[in-house]
Amino acid sequence: MADQPGRERRRKVAAATNALRDLRVELAVLNHRVGNQVELKDLDFDCLDVIARDGPISPSALADRVGVHLATMTGILNRLEENGWITRDRSASDRRAVVVASVPARQRQLFEAFGPMNTRMGRIWDGYADDELDLIAGFLARTVAAGRASADEIG
């Protein structure tokens, strides 16, 4: 019976890992369905999210961030610009450089599409104390960092 605490720990780690895998799948399905609703391909949607949160951003920095070749990124940005999701402008600090930014009116369209999920998440967050939210946010930040480091290792 001395191994019982180790076994219980492995069971809990496996349950948490499986829950993260389930979450990844469900969020991918949600994003895919919202993307279809607003006519965005999955990778285009991912790029738009990075642009909206981290932009204005250069095309090369965006390509590095999402792990695609710059030529692929050019095609993605062309589609996003043609459909009114982004603008391309000259950088304020280097007039030769181009940066891309999201279009606020189109971002509101996405926010509305995610309204039901945002409402459900609000209800979930309401069930946690501030210190629990801090713990969850810290866990998720460390998980994101682990995922980014693992992706960078693969190259």
Side-chain angles (χ1 to χ4, degrees), residues 74-128:
T74 299
I76 292 168
L77 294 177
N78 287 344
R79 283 191 300 273
L80 290 173
E81 187 175 38
E82 287 168 8
N83 292 301
W85 290 103
I86 64 160
T87 59
R88 294 185 213 201
D89 297 302
R90 294 286 172 200
S91 168
S93 60
D94 179 357
R95 298 301 299 161
R96 296 169 295 169
V98 172
V99 293
V100 294
S102 65
V103 174
R106 296 291 277 179
Q107 285 303 124
R108 282 191 292 280
Q109 184 181 1
L110 282 178
F111 185 77
E112 290 170 9
F114 280 104
M117 178 61 170
N118 291 335
T119 298
R120 287 180 179 94
M121 289 305 302
R123 288 187 202 121
I124 291 170
W125 297 132
D126 287 346
Y128 289 96

Side-chain angles (χ1 to χ4, degrees), residues 1-151:
M1 287 294 161
D3 190 44
Q4 194 62 31
R7 186 175 308 152
E8 182 65 13
R9 170 81 178 181
R10 286 190 302 274
R11 187 193 66 71
K12 289 178 187 242
V13 168
T17 300
N18 286 333
L20 281 174
R21 292 175 72 189
D22 292 342
L23 175 62
R24 187 204 65 77
V25 169
E26 294 308 320
L27 290 178
V29 169
L30 175 63
N31 287 343
H32 182 73
R33 289 185 179 165
V34 168
N36 282 341
Q37 186 178 13
V38 297
E39 299 178 351
L40 281 171
K41 294 181 179 189
D42 289 347
L43 186 54
D44 296 6
F45 195 13
D46 292 341
C47 291
L48 182 60
D49 190 35
V50 172
I51 294 166
R53 292 187 306 132
D54 299 341
I57 188 171
S58 73
S60 59
L62 181 59
D64 287 344
R65 174 67 183 85
V66 298
V68 300
H69 192 275
L70 190 54
T72 302
M73 181 55 59
T74 299
I76 292 168
L77 294 177
N78 287 344
R79 283 191 300 273
L80 290 173
E81 187 175 38
E82 287 168 8
N83 292 301
W85 290 103
I86 64 160
T87 59
R88 294 185 213 201
D89 297 302
R90 294 286 172 200
S91 168
S93 60
D94 179 357
R95 298 301 299 161
R96 296 169 295 169
V98 172
V99 293
V100 294
S102 65
V103 174
R106 296 291 277 179
Q107 285 303 124
R108 282 191 292 280
Q109 184 181 1
L110 282 178
F111 185 77
E112 290 170 9
F114 280 104
M117 178 61 170
N118 291 335
T119 298
R120 287 180 179 94
M121 289 305 302
R123 288 187 202 121
I124 291 170
W125 297 132
D126 287 346
Y128 289 96
D130 288 351
D131 62 331
E132 293 172 314
L133 291 173
D134 290 340
L135 179 70
I136 293 166
F139 166 77
L140 292 172
R142 290 182 7 235
T143 302
V144 167
R148 188 168 292 148
S150 296

